[in-house]
């Protein structure tokens, strides 16, 4: 990542934002992001805040929501750390996690409201509709983007990375459900479609 001292931090943030858009559009890689703990911390905090704000706006309200978002996000960080260590790429953790959480921040304002529109009310069957089809397509795309981020980091097949990503999401959901019980949905899962 290039430094732009003459333009200050605003230009660097714009460049990071453009890189995250590029990752979402499948035109950039996590390697294009800076290796920065403060950047990852800022994006993690933004991710957790977005999860809570969007969930409060569009999903059933629960008192445990902020803690659920933090637990889900922390587990995702640990899962990424574990996977990268397992495949011998721990040095790619900061860029990979920044890419995953950054992409989630970009897609959440679209995916959470969209998913909330098709969540059935209690006792009502799911209705097939073009909107539901769109939610499914967005969900598959978000999973693919996350698998691609993982593929760039661990250099394995897309299929392996899809399975690893889905396993992490499933485990996060089980942990949040186990800790917070009925009605708990991992905040990250809602954002990812």
């Amino acid at each position: 990542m290039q430094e732009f001292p003459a333009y200050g931090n605003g230009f660097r943030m714009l460049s990071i934002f453009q890189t995250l858009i590029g990752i979402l559009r499948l035109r950039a890689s996590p390697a294009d992001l800076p290796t920065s703990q403060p950047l990852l911390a800022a994006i993690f905090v933004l991710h957790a805040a977005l999860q809570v704000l969007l969930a409060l706006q569009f999903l059933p309200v629960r008192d445990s929501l902020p803690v659920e978002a933090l637990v889900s996000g922390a587990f995702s960080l640990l899962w990424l750390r574990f996977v990268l260590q397992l495949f011998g790429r721990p040095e790619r953790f900061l860029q990979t996690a920044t890419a995953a959480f950054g992409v989630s921040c970009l897609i959440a304002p679209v995916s959470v409201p969209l998913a909330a529109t098709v969540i059935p009310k209690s006792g009502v069957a799911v209705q097939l509709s073009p909107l539901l089809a769109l939610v499914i397509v967005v969900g598959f795309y978000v999973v693919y983007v996350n698998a691609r981020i993982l593929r760039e980091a661990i250099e394995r097949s897309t299929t392996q990375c899809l399975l690893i990503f889905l396993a992490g999401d499933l485990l996060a959901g089980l942990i949040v459900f186990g800790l917070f019980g009925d009605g708990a949905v991992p905040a990250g899962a809602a954002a990812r479609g």
Side-chain angles (χ1 to χ4, degrees):
M1 187 77 180
Q2 296 177 345
E3 294 293 325
F4 300 101
Y7 298 101
N9 287 336
F11 194 77
R12 287 185 69 209
M13 289 309 293
L14 178 61
S15 177
I16 290 166
F17 177 76
Q18 289 172 333
T19 301
L20 290 171
I21 293 285
I23 292 169
L24 192 58
R25 294 180 60 215
L26 310 177
R27 299 197 189 310
S29 160
D32 298 326
L33 290 167
T35 303
S36 167
Q37 281 185 322
L39 177 61
L40 175 57
I43 287 183
F44 181 83
V45 168
L46 177 63
H47 176 266
L50 263 174
Q51 297 309 310
V52 171
L53 292 172
L54 290 168
L56 287 173
Q57 182 69 30
F58 296 102
L59 301 173
V61 178
R62 296 177 309 281
D63 291 338
S64 62
L65 197 58
V67 179
E68 289 175 38
L70 288 175
V71 168
S72 178
F75 177 80
S76 294
L77 282 174
L78 291 173
W79 179 253
L80 279 173
R81 168 84 64 195
F82 168 75
V83 169
L84 292 170
Q85 189 71 39
L86 181 68
F87 287 97
R89 302 288 187 204
E91 71 280 0
R92 296 181 180 178
F93 172 72
L94 290 173
Q95 291 169 305
T96 303
T98 300
F101 283 95
V103 164
S104 181
C105 288
L106 293 177
I107 198 71
V110 174
S111 64
V112 172
L114 191 59
T117 62
V118 297
I119 294 174
K121 304 228 183 304
S122 182
V124 177
V126 175
Q127 299 294 318
L128 296 179
S129 69
L131 194 55
L132 178 60
L134 180 61
V135 168
I136 292 169
V137 168
V138 168
F140 278 126
Y141 184 75
V142 170
V143 169
Y144 177 75
V145 168
N146 278 283
R148 187 174 177 275
I149 290 169
L150 204 51
R151 188 186 77 200
E152 294 285 329
I154 64 173
E155 300 173 1
R156 299 289 187 218
S157 74
T158 300
T159 302
Q160 286 176 317
C161 293
L162 281 167
L163 293 173
I164 291 167
F165 173 76
L166 291 172
D169 237 23
L170 177 63
L171 286 173
L174 291 173
I175 289 169
V176 170
F177 182 77
L179 291 174
F180 301 102
D182 225 9
V185 176
R192 290 189 281 267

